[in-house]
Amino acid sequence: MSISIPRGTQDILPGEVEKWQLIEAKARELCEKYQYQEIRTPIFEHTDLFSRGVGDSTDIVQKEMYTFEDRGKRSITLRPEGTAAVVRSFVEKKMFGLAGQPVKLYYMGPMFRYERPQAGRFRQFVQFGVEALGSNDPAIDAEVISLAMNLYKEMGLTQLKLIINSLGDKESRTAHREALVNHFKPRIGEFCHDCQNRLEKNPLRILDCKQDRDHELMKTAPSILEFLNDFSKAYFEKLQHYLTQLDIPFEVDANLVRGLDYYNHTAFEIMSNAEGFGAITTLCGGGRYNGLAEEIGGPETPGIGFALSIERFIAALDAEGIELEVNQGIDCYLASLGEEAKDYTVGLLQQLRLAGFSAERDYLNRKIKAQFKAADRLKAKYVAILGDDELKNNKINIKNMATGEQVEVDLGSFVQYFQGLKGEK
Ligand code: HAM
């Protein structure tokens, strides 16, 4: 019996993987410009990190984690997201003591959530995310948002919508929480079992419930924006001022609460407006998480970041009909005629590659015609043809596949010929 791939995961094959590489390279390039440095944390962490960091009452912690006991009887979880681990590392490695503050980090790697697989929703997916720790300046919130927006734009996406909200500081949230409890309590019996538990534990989570989303009380629920105190209000206004200054259009959506518990002040999501994108339109989500470092046992540290998945990024590119230039073609295909010539191309191929050219030869004993076909498939810019006769005369033919032009050069100056071509460009 053959074994198939687990549900909610995917193989990314050649032809497709180049798109991933382009996005990843662009993300790294932007991080360099914005001065975020890469951090790599483990794929698994102690389960407590996520129950404390992401929040016990979130769907992620309650229903979606890949948690197991290891042989030492420790509870281990495959990371469902990157923020908690980055903050753990920030605290553990005492990055708060570094000279360069704020500490600006980025990560790229697989995350795991046991969700119901559908278009745009996987059980293993790759997130690119950034976290800026140590600054309470709304300008850095704007910077983080602009980095995400620019990444999408530079890859060609145009149909984007940025929505922002403020979840306020502790005082604002406490007042809002009380209003939410008063609002839902009299009719909580009409809500799902999860929401009934959420009422006392974390009523904000009710607003994020997928099951009860159409209940009339959802539409009339008190908005957090009415409960922002002066500091929170001023913070949110400043963020909007900076976004306007950066020419980033946005909409304020008071219902945006996000699915993780660590947020306060800024919360945002970037959606795709492209037709046919499917039901899940959120490409990127993030926000501010002052207090998370303390939750994990560190000093009080403000933080803000976002994460986006490459899977949804590519789905958005597809929905907008954007084709990335993935196959540029190789520099040279080395075709041969005759046993000795074939043998000789092994070394010649190596010389080309060491000189910095992409090059390939035949490994299947193909006839010359089939070798040319293989060269076409690889979009070879040049095909070099070496026959036993040429080899005897120390010559080789090079055909420019774009013009059809063919020249004969000395074998000894073969690589130099290519180097010369490069210089001409
Ligand atoms: P999140 O909203 O849970 O936030 O996920 C962020 C992004 O990850 C989503 O917008 C989506 O692009 C992608 N994503 C999430 N789940 C899946 C899935 N099952 N399949 C495919 N893509 C998925 C966080 O993870 C926070 N750590 C973001 C953050 C960073 N906040 C502050 N810093």
Side-chain angles (χ1 to χ4, degrees):
M1 200 176 67
S2 64
I3 300 174
S4 60
I5 194 169
R7 243 166 85 73
T9 66
Q10 56 178 346
D11 298 318
I12 301 143
L13 304 180
E16 186 68 12
V17 82
E18 292 81 358
K19 293 186 193 169
W20 288 67
Q21 291 166 346
L22 282 176
I23 294 172
E24 286 161 7
K26 181 58 84 181
R28 287 179 196 282
E29 183 192 314
L30 271 187
C31 282
E32 167 67 25
K33 286 186 183 150
Y34 279 74
Q35 282 298 288
Y36 286 73
Q37 290 176 305
E38 185 172 7
I39 179 168
R40 300 186 187 192
T41 63
I43 300 280
F44 61 83
E45 296 271 355
H46 292 296
T47 304
D48 277 353
L49 175 69
F50 304 113
S51 32
R52 264 204 268 163
V54 174
D56 262 337
S57 55
T58 58
D59 275 1
I60 294 182
V61 171
Q62 290 210 329
K63 305 178 186 164
E64 296 170 3
M65 294 205 304
Y66 280 89
T67 298
F68 58 95
E69 206 172 72
D70 72 5
R71 287 169 191 272
K73 305 244 174 292
R74 298 170 203 92
S75 181
I76 294 293
T77 294
L78 300 186
R79 60 184 187 186
E81 61 105 50
T83 312
V86 169
V87 176
R88 187 225 8 95
S89 178
F90 176 86
V91 170
E92 201 170 352
K93 297 290 171 342
K94 299 192 170 49
M95 290 185 227
F96 44 82
L98 293 176
Q101 298 287 331
V103 175
K104 305 206 298 184
L105 302 167
Y106 81 89
Y107 50 90
M108 227 181 285
M111 307 290 163
F112 306 85
R113 295 185 193 176
Y114 192 80
E115 295 197 84
R116 197 166 55 81
Q118 53 181 296
R121 181 173 285 155
F122 297 89
R123 289 186 173 164
Q124 174 175 331
F125 55 97
V126 172
Q127 273 189 348
F128 159 64
V130 311
E131 313 291 351
L133 289 138
S135 166
N136 234 332
D137 183 344
I140 207 159
D141 301 38
E143 172 180 281
V144 159
I145 293 174
S146 85
L147 199 167
M149 290 298 282
N150 280 345
L151 177 58
Y152 287 130
K153 282 188 199 150
E154 291 203 10
M155 295 306 292
L157 289 176
T158 56
Q159 298 179 49
L160 299 167
K161 183 165 93 176
L162 167 67
I163 57 172
I164 61 169
N165 191 19
S166 170
L167 301 175
D169 61 6
K170 212 172 191 166
E171 186 184 84
S172 314
R173 281 203 316 285
T174 307
H176 181 228
R177 182 197 158 100
E178 207 178 300
L180 283 174
V181 172
N182 291 338
H183 177 76
F184 286 113
K185 204 168 192 170
R187 291 175 65 186
I188 194 67
E190 297 166 26
F191 284 72
C192 72
H193 183 71
D194 283 347
C195 280
Q196 296 183 12
N197 285 332
R198 288 170 182 142
L199 184 70
E200 293 304 333
K201 264 181 136 175
N202 189 351
L204 196 68
R205 288 267 75 81
I206 298 180
L207 300 178
D208 206 26
C209 180
K210 287 161 197 131
Q211 218 170 314
D212 291 321
R213 112 175 98 203
D214 296 326
H215 194 288
E216 57 170 301
L217 284 193
M218 289 292 212
K219 288 169 204 110
T220 53
S223 150
I224 177 71
L225 295 180
E226 294 161 32
F227 294 86
L228 294 184
N229 57 17
D230 289 346
F231 177 78
S232 303
K233 223 182 269 174
Y235 196 98
F236 194 38
E237 274 161 18
K238 201 79 198 189
L239 167 67
Q240 296 179 52
H241 161 78
Y242 286 132
L243 289 176
T244 309
Q245 192 179 332
L246 294 177
D247 250 340
I248 302 176
F250 61 87
E251 278 174 31
V252 174
D253 180 353
N255 294 321
L256 176 69
V257 294
R258 309 272 303 122
L260 304 95
D261 273 353
Y262 45 60
Y263 292 115
N264 40 63
H265 291 290
T266 310
F268 68 94
E269 287 187 353
I270 301 169
M271 342 274 285
S272 167
N273 268 340
E275 218 175 287
F277 185 64
I280 303 172
T281 54
T282 304
L283 299 179
C284 169
R288 184 161 274 283
Y289 46 82
N290 303 347
L292 179 57
E294 271 173 289
E295 193 68 49
I296 293 170
E300 198 182 326
T301 311
I304 168 115
F306 72 75
L308 60 86
S309 71
I310 314 287
E311 287 81 355
R312 288 192 197 169
F313 201 140
I314 289 175
L317 290 168
D318 290 345
E320 287 200 27
I322 296 164
E323 302 236 347
L324 301 179
E325 269 287 322
V326 290
N327 189 352
Q328 309 277 1
I330 63 167
D331 293 317
C332 179
Y333 188 91
L334 271 177
S336 59
L337 257 172
E339 277 310 305
E340 274 173 49
K342 188 168 61 173
D343 203 65
Y344 192 86
T345 56
V346 173
L348 214 47
L349 187 68
Q350 171 85 334
Q351 284 180 35
L352 268 182
R353 289 171 174 169
L354 290 183
F357 298 98
S358 53
E360 187 56 295
R361 81 188 268 281
D362 171 55
Y363 290 104
L364 292 176
N365 255 326
R366 290 184 179 100
K367 299 248 159 36
I368 190 74
K369 209 171 152 193
Q371 291 184 48
F372 267 91
K373 258 196 192 146
D376 272 348
R377 205 173 34 77
L378 294 169
K379 297 192 184 151
K381 296 182 187 92
Y382 291 86
V383 176
I385 311 124
L386 184 69
D388 283 351
D389 290 346
E390 280 101 345
L391 183 58
K392 268 187 214 118
N393 300 325
N394 261 323
K395 298 279 183 200
I396 186 165
N397 280 298
I398 302 171
K399 184 173 180 185
N400 179 330
M401 299 304 280
T403 61
E405 203 184 320
Q406 195 160 320
V407 291
E408 193 181 62
V409 300
D410 284 342
L411 254 184
S413 54
F414 177 62
V415 173
Q416 281 96 307
Y417 180 80
F418 276 92
Q419 280 162 336
L421 289 174
K422 212 175 196 175
E424 274 171 27
K425 270 190 228 157

